[in-house]
């Protein structure tokens, strides 16, 4: 199979005027886009990433190819690519004339260096890569066995290409902290300011003229500058956009949705988040949680659906699967309503599992051990609504005799806890448009931290077979069928406690134009975004 794309394919709308919602707008160049948002996890995503990180850095680092929200692939740094008939060899032709922000050349060797460190440092996230080579302007990835989602993986923001000059000159810690002259990509914006805990400032890269084939224009970005201010309090972010101190507020809480919709100067931008819902991974290496009856008791012992409605006010729906409805082709709607809140049945399961003794504090005891569970999550994965929700989980589990505590920690501490296996539960969501990649990374038995996110130490041969089949196929229908099978197996074993299907909700000034969402459920790029003057 050979995929060759004419680069101008996506520029059919590159004229200076385009229509949106029946109105014609003339794009205007210039202006400063001010964003009230969360702090990125790390400015070198090979060392750590999150959805907020990807959104912040997607215009700093270009990728080989771009995947639209509709699932179509477009050329970007790779002007064309091909896949061998046996699915083992992927070849990418790197376009000429691309330079990094420091003036060094982005060529096939620069791409190879980035892909090789993905293989060396991240075990290629489970992709069976045997070699990455560069010859002339072609980069070739060779696999030991087919891996259907590879193109999707390479289109993700986390695969942005970092300048080798930065990789050679700075340590991992220095690149993660980042800053001007350290964080160097080839994207339409370059980093000119970085204050940890406060802000990230980007400035237009005037030499830029290599957008993806999905872009709406050519040449430099419209915006002159992007200023991201890190505000952890929901009310402060929303207040910033309501008062005109910011143009976009990320992570709008449910309680603020009506006010933004009723403000004629603001617009609400929202999308279903594709990926794994906000859920609890259950660590089965803990003997108590290795018992399926205990996992099932946690799943039905809390009224998650009522909490979702009370806390998220219609901006999230109760989750019953390991995939959100934001990936409709792979989502198994048949899992909806698979269980319901039943505290008495949960207590009976715990009794049956041997946790029948109740201590003076109401917590169950077995062989002098209390049924106490410690959950961890990272600051970058958390928000105030989830903190409120966790109080409901704590009350619900307490009522059936389980002690639950939750720590919100900086990512480095969470990483250390995971490496030391010092946790019982992990709560977070994951964002991606490819169900096979997501579930393989989160539940395949060899997909352990830190290369991947099988935090539950799930080891189920039937689940492995479904996930291995899904990623080995290049046929989307086969992938989706196996992902649906995997969702059922995950629920059968209570390997995950799905909680809520989130939405990505932004509040923005009506002056902000040209936003589009990517396949990962985030603003695809600020390259085509412009401000009405």
């Amino acid at each position: 199979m050979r995929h060759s794309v004419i680069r101008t394919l996506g520029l059919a709308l590159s004229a200076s005027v385009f229509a949106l919602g029946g109105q014609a707008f003339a794009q205007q160049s210039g202006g400063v886009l001010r964003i009230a948002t969360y702090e990125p996890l790390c400015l070198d995503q090979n060392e750590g990433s999150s959805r907020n990180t990807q959104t912040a850095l997607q215009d700093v680092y270009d990728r080989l190819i771009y995947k639209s929200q509709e699932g179509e692939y477009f050329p970007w740094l790779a002007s064309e690519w091909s896949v061998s008939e046996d699915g083992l060899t992927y070849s990418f032709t790197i376009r000429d004339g691309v330079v990094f922000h420091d003036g060094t050349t982005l060529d096939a060797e620069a791409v190879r260096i980035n892909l090789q460190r993905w293989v060396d440092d991240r075990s290629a996230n489970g992709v069976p890569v045997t070699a990455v080579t560069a010859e002339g302007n072609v980069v070739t990835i060779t696999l030991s066995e087919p891996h259907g989602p590879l193109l999707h993986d390479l289109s993700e923001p986390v695969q942005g290409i970092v300048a080798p000059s930065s990789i050679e000159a700075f340590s991992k810690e220095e690149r993660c902290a980042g800053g001007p002259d350290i964080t160097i990509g080839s994207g339409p914006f370059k980093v000119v300011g970085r204050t940890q805990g406060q802000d990230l400032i980007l400035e237009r890269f005037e030499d830029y003229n290599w957008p993806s084939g999905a872009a709406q224009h050519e040449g430099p970005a419209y915006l002159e500058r992007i200023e991201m201010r890190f505000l952890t309090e929901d009310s402060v972010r929303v207040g910033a956009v309501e008062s005109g101190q910011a143009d976009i507020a990320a992570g709008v809480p449910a309680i603020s949705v009506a006010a933004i919709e009723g403000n004629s100067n603001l617009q609400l931008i929202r999308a279903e988040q594709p990926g794994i819902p906000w859920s609890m991974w259950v660590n089965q290496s803990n003997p108590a949680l290795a018992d399926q009856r205990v996992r099932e008791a946690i799943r039905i012992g809390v009224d998650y659906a009522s909490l979702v409605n009370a806390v998220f006010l219609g901006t999230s729906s109760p989750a019953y699967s390991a995939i959100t409805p934001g990936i409709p082709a792979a989502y198994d709607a048949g899992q909806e309503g698979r269980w319901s809140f039943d505290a008495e049945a949960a207590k009976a399961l715990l009794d049956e599992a041997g946790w029948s003794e109740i201590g003076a504090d109401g917590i169950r005891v077995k062989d002098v051990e209390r049924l106490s569970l410690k959950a961890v999550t990272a600051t970058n994965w958390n928000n105030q609504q989830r903190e409120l929700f966790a109080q409901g989980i704590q009350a619900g589990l307490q009522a059936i005799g389980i002690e639950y505590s939750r720590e919100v920690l900086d990512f480095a501490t969470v990483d250390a806890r995971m490496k030391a296996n010092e946790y019982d539960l992990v709560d977070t969501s994951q964002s991606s448009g490819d169900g096979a990649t997501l579930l393989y990374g989160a539940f395949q038995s060899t997909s352990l931290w830190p290369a991947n996110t099988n935090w539950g130490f799930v080891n189920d041969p039937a689940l492995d077979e479904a996930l291995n089949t899904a990623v080995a196929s290049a046929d989307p229908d086969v992938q989706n069928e196996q992902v649906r099978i995997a969702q059922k197996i995950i629920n059968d074993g209570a390997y995950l406690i799905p909680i809520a299907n989130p939405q990505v909700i932004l509040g923005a000034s009506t002056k902000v134009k040209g936003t589009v969402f990517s396949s990962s459920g985030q603003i695809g790029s600020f390259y085509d975004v412009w401000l009405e003057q």
Side-chain angles (χ1 to χ4, degrees):
M1 177 174 65
R2 182 173 180 80
H3 190 122
S4 181
V5 183
I6 299 172
R7 205 196 68 75
T8 54
L9 179 64
L11 300 177
L13 299 177
S14 64
S16 60
V17 176
F18 72 100
L20 179 66
Q23 291 182 285
F25 296 100
Q27 295 98 327
Q28 298 169 342
S29 182
V32 178
L33 183 70
R34 303 159 301 167
I35 305 173
T37 186
Y38 306 96
E39 184 163 19
L41 189 61
C42 171
L43 298 197
D44 181 352
Q45 297 182 87
N46 195 59
E47 310 305 330
S49 188
S50 66
R51 184 168 58 81
N52 301 317
T53 305
Q54 294 172 22
T55 302
L57 298 177
Q58 62 183 335
D59 290 307
V60 175
Y61 302 119
D62 290 333
R63 285 100 75 185
L64 284 174
I65 53 179
Y66 180 85
K67 184 180 182 182
S68 70
Q69 194 174 21
E70 293 73 31
E72 184 177 0
Y73 290 103
F74 294 88
W76 198 348
L77 293 177
S79 57
E80 62 178 24
W81 62 91
S82 63
V83 184
S84 63
E85 291 292 340
D86 60 9
L88 298 180
T89 305
Y90 288 68
S91 298
F92 299 88
T93 301
I94 307 305
R95 62 189 298 171
D96 294 328
V98 179
V99 295
F100 290 105
H101 300 148
D102 64 353
T104 56
T105 300
L106 191 156
D107 55 15
E109 178 60 13
V111 174
R112 185 200 67 78
I113 290 171
N114 277 265
L115 293 174
Q116 190 62 55
R117 71 182 189 131
W118 172 54
V119 173
D120 294 341
D121 299 343
R122 310 292 297 178
S123 301
N125 297 117
V127 179
V129 177
T130 58
V132 181
T133 60
E135 183 173 351
N137 64 341
V138 176
V139 174
T140 300
I141 301 174
T142 305
L143 308 180
S144 60
E145 53 189 85
H147 189 84
L150 181 56
L151 287 179
H152 169 84
D153 295 348
L154 296 174
S155 75
E156 291 278 89
V158 71
Q159 291 291 350
I161 304 299
V162 178
S165 58
S166 174
I167 297 173
E168 294 167 4
F170 301 101
S171 68
K172 293 180 179 180
E173 292 74 19
E174 289 170 327
R175 292 197 307 277
C176 200
D181 303 322
I182 299 175
T183 307
I184 304 172
S186 63
F189 292 93
K190 56 185 179 181
V191 173
V192 296
R194 155 72 160 166
T195 304
Q196 286 189 309
Q198 295 186 28
D199 59 33
L200 177 67
I201 309 300
L202 309 182
E203 189 174 273
R204 183 167 59 196
F205 184 30
E206 298 293 349
D207 294 337
Y208 192 79
N209 193 26
W210 44 86
S212 81
Q216 302 295 311
H217 78 288
E218 294 180 299
Y222 294 127
L223 297 168
E224 184 176 338
R225 190 176 172 94
I226 299 175
E227 297 180 352
M228 300 179 209
R229 308 292 181 190
F230 309 138
L231 304 172
T232 56
E233 296 290 328
D234 292 344
S235 60
V236 178
R237 289 194 309 278
V238 172
V241 77
E242 288 178 330
S243 65
Q245 298 178 62
D247 302 299
I248 293 178
V252 171
I255 197 170
S256 300
V257 166
I260 291 177
E261 288 181 322
N263 188 328
S264 61
N265 295 319
L266 300 178
Q267 57 181 317
L268 195 72
I269 303 171
R270 63 201 295 175
E272 293 283 345
Q273 180 174 303
I276 296 177
W278 181 44
S279 307
M280 291 194 289
W281 275 251
V282 186
N283 185 348
Q284 296 180 53
S285 71
N286 175 332
L289 296 175
D291 191 323
Q292 182 170 335
R293 293 167 294 190
V294 176
R295 301 196 299 272
E296 291 182 357
I298 296 171
R299 189 169 65 182
I300 64 173
V302 176
D303 192 355
Y304 298 100
S306 294
L307 284 171
V308 167
N309 293 330
V311 175
F312 296 118
L313 303 175
T315 60
S316 294
S317 59
Y320 293 96
S321 180
I323 290 290
T324 72
I327 311 179
Y331 177 64
D332 182 4
Q335 298 300 311
E336 293 178 3
R338 174 82 183 269
W339 59 85
S340 58
F341 171 56
D342 190 335
E344 294 307 313
K347 292 176 183 176
L349 282 168
L350 294 172
D351 288 341
E352 186 181 326
W355 296 93
S356 54
E357 181 183 348
I358 308 294
D361 58 358
I363 301 303
R364 291 173 180 266
V365 178
K366 179 180 180 182
D367 299 331
V368 305
E369 181 184 355
R370 298 171 74 249
L371 188 48
S372 178
L373 303 178
K374 297 182 185 301
V376 297
T377 194
T379 304
N380 309 70
W381 302 341
N382 190 50
N383 59 47
Q384 290 173 292
Q385 292 174 100
R386 291 182 180 182
E387 290 183 8
L388 178 62
F389 200 106
Q391 295 176 26
I393 295 176
Q394 183 180 43
L397 292 179
Q398 174 79 30
I400 61 171
I402 298 177
E403 183 179 60
Y404 164 90
S405 61
R406 179 177 187 258
E407 291 183 282
V408 181
L409 305 166
D410 64 87
F411 182 76
T413 303
V414 170
D415 178 52
R417 291 277 188 90
M418 290 174 173
K419 288 175 177 172
N421 192 13
E422 295 176 347
Y423 63 94
D424 300 311
L425 304 163
V426 176
D427 75 83
T428 186
S429 58
Q430 293 186 3
S431 178
S432 174
D434 189 278
T437 296
L438 278 166
L439 297 193
Y440 185 90
F443 299 101
Q444 206 271 352
S445 60
T446 63
S447 297
L448 301 177
W449 186 261
N452 257 309
T453 62
N454 183 358
W455 295 310
F457 293 90
V458 177
N459 188 347
D460 184 322
L463 181 56
D464 276 359
E465 181 179 357
L467 296 175
N468 291 340
T469 303
V471 299
S473 175
D475 185 337
D477 291 337
V478 173
Q479 289 182 16
N480 292 331
E481 179 187 5
Q482 294 301 317
V483 169
R484 286 190 288 272
I485 291 172
Q487 289 168 70
K488 182 178 183 304
I489 294 173
I490 291 167
N491 279 348
D492 288 346
Y495 298 141
L496 184 79
I497 312 295
I499 300 175
N501 298 310
Q503 291 184 350
V504 180
I505 305 178
L506 308 175
S509 164
T510 53
K511 294 180 179 179
V512 177
K513 308 293 184 184
T515 56
V516 295
F517 280 89
S518 71
S519 63
S520 296
Q522 55 198 334
I523 287 185
S525 169
F526 292 109
Y527 173 70
D528 282 323
V529 172
W530 55 283
L531 292 172
E532 189 176 45
Q533 304 298 317

